[in-house]
Amino acid sequence: MTDTLSDWNLLTLVGADRPGIVSRVTRVLYGLGCNLGEASMIRLGGNFTIMLMVSGARPDAEILDALAPVAGELGLRLHLDPLSGGLHQHLLPNIQVRVAGADRAGIVADVTEILAGQGFNILELESDVAGERERPVYIMNIQGYSDQTIETLSGALAPLTERGVSVDVSPVDVLIG
Amino acid sequence: MAILDILKLPDPRLKQVSESVASFDQVLRDFIADLEETRLAGPSAVGIAAPQVAHFQRIVILDLSGRPKTPNHGHLVLINPEITHWKGFAMGREGCLSVPDYTGNVIRATQIRLKAQDADGVEHQYEMEGFEARAVQHELDHLDGLLFVDRVVSRRTDLHRRKVYK
Ligand SMILES: [Zn+2]
């Protein structure tokens, strides 16, 4: 990782989901001559969220001005922040932690604190609420890198099982072929 | 022996379908040696397929001998390989010598039966599971002009749920 500012900005857009958001936004960016890098676009709670690496070929103000009409029309809130680092800095996870339980309060903090204590570097975390409305089940999937063994990590997370939280630690085996 | 150039995405030749091998001769053995040297020169690949070096014949090398914890058949040269039976499915992360700096999740069969010839043209049958089965499916895709990027699914694709309620 580098700490120096790069040519990349992080564009964040959040708003009620409706058709055409991605195409409208990316068309504007293309029109400005911006390059797009890594992106995460996903629905969260019925909202559409976009986090998008945009090359800083243009001044920030110009990018924001150009997006303003589309954002206004589609009801999107937007942010543009300078980004350190850039493309081609992928780290490969070697461990996956799956968590599921009825107990939502504090579950994320509890799991991630234990992992942090083991020097586990979280690379991706996704969580969702499944089950029925009256009986929600919190499901979390973490991928990351750790030098600890599966047994050590499982052991560290074991106290959560007593709270009825199911925790599964398994290797992420990346096949290269 | 020689290290051959690996075709990289978006080279259109990676989409070419490879031809069956008909002659099991010295030319074939020499090529297999080069293909193996190329595999070993790269970043720890467990397999390589001939079309990845622009040689469009149905030849695959697989080597899981360095993974004692995973059930496997060791070092294999698979000529004209064919999967005759599939069972189960699982998601797993894959990368490829032909697709640098990218990995993605792919759903593959967890158990397969494989028919293939060796470098002398002798036919063998293999029962494979898990990582080895995944590796074979990845390599056989190359012979049909497919890359794992053609099969990548989102991590949100919830296999777990489907398994529970099957
Ligand atoms: Zn490959």
Side-chain angles (χ1 to χ4, degrees), chain B residues 18-75:
Chain B
S18 292
E19 308 276 340
S20 296
V21 173
S23 334
F24 295 82
D25 50 15
Q26 191 57 39
V27 178
L28 176 67
R29 283 187 287 277
D30 289 347
F31 170 72
I32 291 168
D34 287 348
L35 188 63
E36 175 68 351
E37 199 181 348
T38 306
R39 179 183 74 84
L40 292 172
S44 63
V46 293
I48 191 168
Q52 288 181 278
V53 297
H55 183 105
F56 301 99
Q57 282 194 300
R58 305 186 78 83
I59 303 167
V60 161
I61 297 175
L62 208 63
D63 184 12
L64 278 83
S65 59
R67 308 173 58 94
K69 285 184 185 166
T70 334
N72 71 80
H73 293 82
H75 189 280

Side-chain angles (χ1 to χ4, degrees), chain A residues 175-177, chain B residues 47-49 52 95-99 138-139 142 146-148:
Chain A
L175 177 133
I176 308 292
Chain B
I48 191 168
Q52 288 181 278
C96 181
L97 295 172
S98 299
V99 188
H138 178 114
E139 299 311 333
H142 281 300
L146 283 169
L147 293 174
F148 82 98

Side-chain angles (χ1 to χ4, degrees), chain A residues 115-137:
Chain A
L115 291 175
Q118 297 291 323
F120 186 101
N121 183 10
I122 294 177
L123 300 173
E124 293 169 20
L125 184 154
E126 280 180 344
S127 67
D128 211 332
V129 181
E132 290 158 315
R133 257 171 216 276
E134 319 78 65
R135 298 181 59 207
V137 180

